[in-house]
Amino acid sequence: MPLWVFDLDSIQLVWANEAACKLWQAKSIEELLSRDLSEDISSSVAERMKKYRDAAKENGQTFRELWTLYPEGKPCPYHIHISGHELPDGRYGLRFEATADFDRMPEQIRSAEALNHIPVCVSLFNMRGKPLYNNPAALETYGDTSLEMRDRFAKKSDHDKFLRNIAKGRTISKICEVNTKDGKRWHEITGMRGFDGLTGQNACIITETDVTELKEKESRVRYLAHYDMLTGLHNRNYVNSHYPERIQSAFEENERLVLMIVGLDHFKAINETLGHPSGDALLKHVASQLEMSLQETEQIARLGGDEFVILAPYRSTTDLDIRCQTILASINEECTVGDHILSANASIGLVLFPEHGRDLPTLLRHCDLALHDAKDSGRNTYRFYRPALQQAALAKRALEKDLVRAVENEEFCLFYQPRVDCQTQEIVSAEALMRWQHPEKGLVFPGDFIGALEDTGLIHRVGDWIADRAGKDQRTIARLGYNIPISINISPKQFERPDFVHRLKCALAKSGCPADKIEIEITESMLMGVGFDAKAILMDLCRAGFSIAVDDFGTGYSNLAYIQDYPISSLKVDRSFVNMIEDQSSVINLILSLCRLIGISAVAEGVETVDQLAWLRMNHCDQYQGYLYSRPVPLDNLIELMTTSHQRLMSSRLPESLDAEVIWA
């Protein structure tokens, strides 16, 4: 029987018997021992032998392999028994004992060779889980051939499941966590029943492939799918996949739930003024505050943007009132971002399960309506859903659909209300006011649809149309000898667009109307320029030839001091002051004095009585608008109003002397 001892460090044989000398086709033992075997031993075989040596040294393990050797140049299969052997200098080598197997078939030889080299762990256990065989990959992975099957599995339940199925003759595959010599890993394991070739008894064949990297990627993907990367909270995907289970459980257990959407107020302004990094820092702060205030039974997630959702059981709406107040207070706590100290206000919409809906999509939709109601109610507050909100939302969607059709079918028209000289009663200008000639509802006023135009973005197309139509109408009355300017109202949404001035000039150019015959009316709040540079836009308008009027003055910030910093040609005093002229006369006098001081026209809105007009004349108001002279009318009626006969009629209704006692100052 060929025997030899191999030194893995020098890659040489250090002892061999005569049979080994013949097996290795050496002329003598001396010649065999002097051979350099480094070219005959592959790196994979060398690595496997080192693992065998270490295992033999550590716990005396022995190993068996099937080799193909070539005595006398002819291939012959040999059973190789490998064991540890202490060398004279105290180091460890390996002792090899070879037994020829002339009956081995070529297929068996090749399969044994493949089994030794494939990276898949292949092991054989008896039906009690005791080890019978481990291929080199299994030995490299587990490091101990005596390890029983149950010791490989991290979970006893996985081991028991495998053993149970194999005992019943079933093949089982499962990804399991296992205990390797390098720590816990994830393996895709397949188990089946086979036979022990030596005893003929049933055995468990186990094959394993390491899928740890894939498992970690899956875990990462699962995290990304269910968690918000900015705040670390669950995200909308998690809400959509897990909240329905919670809702179903509440339904089965007759439990009451509340769904809350928390939306930050004016968050867009923070991003625009301080930048998105500051906005992100504030979102993380708010998420942290919400988590700290979270109760044990509550679940929280970030829906996206500046909105967070909380799902929780509740006992009474009184408890919810207290909870909402706590949430709003926690969000309002200050945080430092760079050089800025930030705080946030929020609005909360609430829906109750099952009263307000029995599935997640319905609850979220109704909760969103409640949130918008809270924002419309002044913000920094909370509102419960009520059916009227759904009805209003349906009506709004129907309105938006009608408006799309109205824009396509050109169902809009312009009415004009004259602006009149207080002293001469001569029409000096006219304000264009939009109307919608609805095919079913008749004439619809702008208060009923302007907001929807702004929400849908249609306001920009409609604004272009207004400029074009007003320009054409101005040219019409100019050809009749009444070359007065027309004023048009501008939405804040139009004002925010960077291309607003360019669009306005392009729309007006189609009509052939010069820009100095168009006055732009803006509201007082637009002067504050939230999200845009109001002064720069107004300067661009003035350079293009337009004049500027501030509409409804006195209802906004009412800061008289800043008016002189803007290129404004007219101030229009809000009708609320004119209607209470006997109580507000000192305020109106202040506005009129300011206009005279800085050289702009003062226009009183909403003048309905002769006494109001007489007071305005006595106090040197320049112009007025109102039902006293005319309601808004179509263009043809405006032309009729500009005749001298109508002006004489108006003059005849006024007191003959300016000394009439109409001043209530």
Side-chain angles (χ1 to χ4, degrees):
M1 177 184 294
L3 298 173
W4 67 92
V5 176
F6 185 56
D7 182 354
L8 275 70
D9 296 327
S10 64
I11 316 182
Q12 285 184 307
L13 272 63
V14 296
W15 180 87
N17 65 2
E18 289 290 343
C21 188
K22 182 179 180 181
L23 177 65
W24 289 103
Q25 302 178 53
K27 295 178 181 179
S28 65
I29 293 178
E30 289 75 13
E31 188 266 327
L32 178 61
L33 299 183
S34 64
R35 282 184 185 179
D36 180 4
L37 302 178
S38 58
E39 294 183 0
D40 299 324
I41 298 178
S42 67
S43 58
S44 60
V45 171
E47 186 65 28
R48 189 165 79 245
M49 294 300 109
K50 288 178 181 178
K51 294 183 182 302
Y52 287 171
R53 180 189 63 185
D54 295 341
K57 181 179 179 181
E58 183 177 347
N59 51 35
Q61 291 184 53
T62 62
F63 307 92
R64 293 182 181 276
E65 289 189 0
L66 183 67
W67 288 11
T68 301
L69 299 176
Y70 298 84
E72 300 179 355
K74 296 179 181 180
C76 179
Y78 280 84
H79 289 288
I80 307 297
H81 180 229
I82 308 169
S83 58
H85 184 86
E86 187 174 355
L87 301 175
D89 59 3
R91 292 181 301 109
Y92 244 69
L94 289 176
R95 180 179 183 273
F96 294 82
E97 180 180 322
T99 304
D101 187 354
F102 298 105
D103 298 327
R104 180 73 60 172
M105 300 296 292
E107 291 79 5
Q108 293 175 307
I109 297 172
R110 290 175 180 139
S111 64
E113 183 70 11
L115 198 62
N116 286 334
H117 289 87
I118 61 172
V120 178
C121 299
V122 180
S123 305
L124 191 68
F125 297 89
N126 67 22
M127 298 304 291
R128 297 186 305 278
K130 302 291 184 180
L132 299 174
Y133 166 78
N134 290 282
N135 77 335
L139 176 64
E140 180 179 354
T141 299
Y142 290 102
D144 184 357
T145 56
S146 65
L147 200 65
E148 294 190 12
M149 183 175 167
R150 67 169 176 268
D151 295 324
R152 290 191 179 184
F153 288 89
K155 292 182 179 179
K156 181 178 182 297
S157 58
D158 287 337
H159 165 263
D160 293 347
K161 186 174 184 179
F162 267 82
L163 209 57
R164 186 167 56 252
N165 279 271
I166 293 171
K168 293 179 180 179
R170 299 171 183 164
T171 298
I172 177 174
S173 292
K174 192 174 185 293
I175 294 177
C176 303
E177 194 173 19
V178 295
N179 302 309
T180 73
K181 66 182 180 60
D182 296 321
K184 292 188 183 299
R185 304 283 291 179
W186 288 94
H187 282 188
E188 183 175 8
I189 305 175
T190 298
M192 64 188 71
R193 190 162 67 183
F195 294 95
D196 177 9
L198 293 180
T199 65
Q201 295 180 347
N202 288 334
C204 304
I205 301 174
I206 301 294
T207 63
E208 304 173 55
T209 303
D210 194 308
V211 293
T212 304
E213 185 176 349
L214 178 61
K215 190 74 174 178
E216 289 173 348
K217 287 181 179 178
E218 288 179 353
S219 178
R220 179 66 173 167
V221 169
R222 193 178 301 112
Y223 179 87
L224 292 174
H226 287 160
Y227 286 86
D228 174 53
M229 294 304 295
L230 178 65
T231 64
L233 300 177
H234 285 119
N235 61 13
R236 182 183 287 273
N237 287 337
Y238 181 88
V239 170
N240 290 335
S241 59
H242 287 75
Y243 279 24
E245 299 174 5
R246 180 71 181 87
I247 292 169
Q248 179 62 29
S249 174
F251 176 77
E252 294 170 356
E253 297 176 11
N254 199 27
E255 183 183 23
R256 303 168 73 187
L257 296 177
V258 61
L259 188 77
M260 296 182 270
I261 295 181
V262 181
L264 301 188
D265 296 334
H266 304 298
F267 180 72
K268 181 181 177 183
I270 292 175
N271 276 337
E272 290 175 344
T273 55
L274 300 180
H276 287 277
S278 295
D280 289 347
L282 182 60
L283 286 173
K284 289 192 283 188
H285 166 73
V286 170
S288 175
Q289 293 298 107
L290 288 172
E291 274 197 298
M292 285 192 294
S293 70
L294 207 64
Q295 297 177 0
E296 185 177 349
T297 55
E298 296 179 341
Q299 299 181 38
I300 186 173
R302 182 187 175 203
L303 285 179
D306 58 38
E307 290 187 351
F308 302 85
V309 62
I310 297 174
L311 181 66
Y314 76 98
R315 289 178 297 180
S316 69
T317 54
T318 302
D319 291 340
L320 294 179
D321 290 333
I322 298 172
R323 184 74 183 100
C324 287
Q325 292 165 10
T326 302
I327 290 173
L328 294 176
S330 67
I331 290 175
N332 194 240
E333 290 190 14
E334 294 180 341
C335 69
T336 301
V337 178
D339 297 330
H340 304 283
I341 298 177
L342 302 180
S343 64
N345 289 327
S347 301
I348 305 175
L350 302 95
V351 291
L352 306 179
F353 171 85
E355 295 95 316
H356 297 155
R358 299 199 173 189
D359 59 79
L360 181 64
T362 302
L363 292 171
L364 285 173
R365 187 170 63 251
H366 290 172
C367 199
D368 195 52
L369 292 173
L371 174 63
H372 281 87
D373 187 40
K375 290 183 179 290
D376 291 341
S377 301
R379 303 178 187 267
N380 195 29
T381 188
Y382 59 94
R383 289 289 184 272
F384 288 87
Y385 169 79
R386 57 187 191 279
L389 297 177
Q390 176 72 1
Q391 296 167 7
L394 292 174
K396 182 181 178 183
R397 281 197 288 272
L399 174 61
E400 291 172 350
K401 184 177 179 181
D402 280 355
L403 283 171
V404 172
R405 185 206 66 235
V407 171
E408 297 297 331
N409 296 343
E410 298 184 355
E411 296 176 5
F412 299 110
C413 59
L414 291 182
F415 277 39
Y416 293 93
Q417 186 172 38
R419 254 170 54 183
V420 186
D421 186 288
C422 286
Q423 306 303 327
T424 67
Q425 301 306 299
E426 179 183 358
I427 296 176
V428 294
S429 179
E431 180 181 0
L433 297 165
M434 191 179 178
R435 298 291 185 266
W436 179 10
Q437 192 64 53
H438 196 284
E440 298 172 359
K441 301 176 183 178
L443 205 62
V444 182
F445 289 82
D448 295 332
F449 62 83
I450 287 294
L453 285 176
E454 291 176 332
D455 290 343
T456 58
L458 290 170
I459 191 66
H460 303 293
R461 289 179 60 187
V462 173
D464 294 343
W465 174 84
I466 290 173
D468 177 54
R469 182 71 265 166
K472 290 176 179 176
D473 289 348
Q474 197 282 331
R475 289 292 82 197
T476 297
I477 61 177
R479 286 191 293 268
L480 296 173
Y482 306 110
N483 194 19
I484 63 172
I486 299 293
S487 62
I488 59 175
N489 292 279
I490 299 300
S491 161
K493 295 295 184 181
Q494 293 173 266
F495 215 58
E496 291 174 1
R497 283 188 62 131
D499 63 347
F500 163 64
V501 177
H502 175 72
R503 291 183 66 139
L504 183 62
K505 290 192 292 185
C506 290
L508 191 62
K510 296 178 182 178
S511 69
C513 177
D516 62 1
K517 290 302 178 183
I518 297 294
E519 184 177 55
I520 306 300
E521 291 199 18
I522 63 173
T523 60
E524 188 180 354
S525 60
M526 290 164 65
L527 293 176
M528 302 308 294
V530 178
F532 52 85
D533 187 344
K535 189 173 182 179
I537 297 173
L538 295 178
M539 293 301 297
D540 286 345
L541 289 170
C542 287
R543 281 191 289 268
F546 298 98
S547 54
I548 311 296
V550 178
D551 196 14
D552 301 330
F553 187 78
T555 60
Y557 296 92
S558 302
N559 188 342
L560 301 178
Y562 65 56
I563 293 298
Q564 61 184 335
D565 294 332
Y566 294 88
I568 294 168
S569 56
S570 303
L571 275 187
K572 301 184 73 173
V573 183
D574 187 67
R575 67 180 64 247
S576 61
F577 292 103
V578 176
N579 290 339
M580 301 178 64
I581 206 167
E582 64 274 20
D583 299 321
Q584 303 286 349
S585 59
S586 59
V587 176
I588 300 178
N589 258 322
L590 179 62
I591 297 173
L592 298 179
S593 298
L594 171 68
C595 291
R596 289 194 296 272
L597 182 64
I598 61 179
I600 62 177
S601 298
V603 183
E605 298 183 292
V607 177
E608 298 182 356
T609 68
V610 171
D611 283 349
Q612 290 171 346
L613 177 56
W615 186 95
L616 293 169
R617 296 179 73 205
M618 287 288 294
N619 288 275
H620 308 289
C621 182
D622 299 302
Q623 302 168 20
Y624 75 95
Q625 279 180 262
Y627 289 177
L628 176 64
Y629 196 94
S630 173
R631 293 173 178 269
V633 294
L635 180 64
D636 291 342
N637 299 95
L638 174 67
I639 294 172
E640 292 177 9
L641 291 175
M642 288 190 286
T643 61
T644 55
S645 60
H646 188 80
Q647 294 172 19
R648 284 198 299 270
L649 174 62
M650 285 302 305
S651 297
S652 68
R653 298 172 62 185
L654 294 173
E656 295 182 3
S657 171
L658 292 179
D659 296 330
E661 188 66 37
V662 291
I663 301 177
W664 298 287

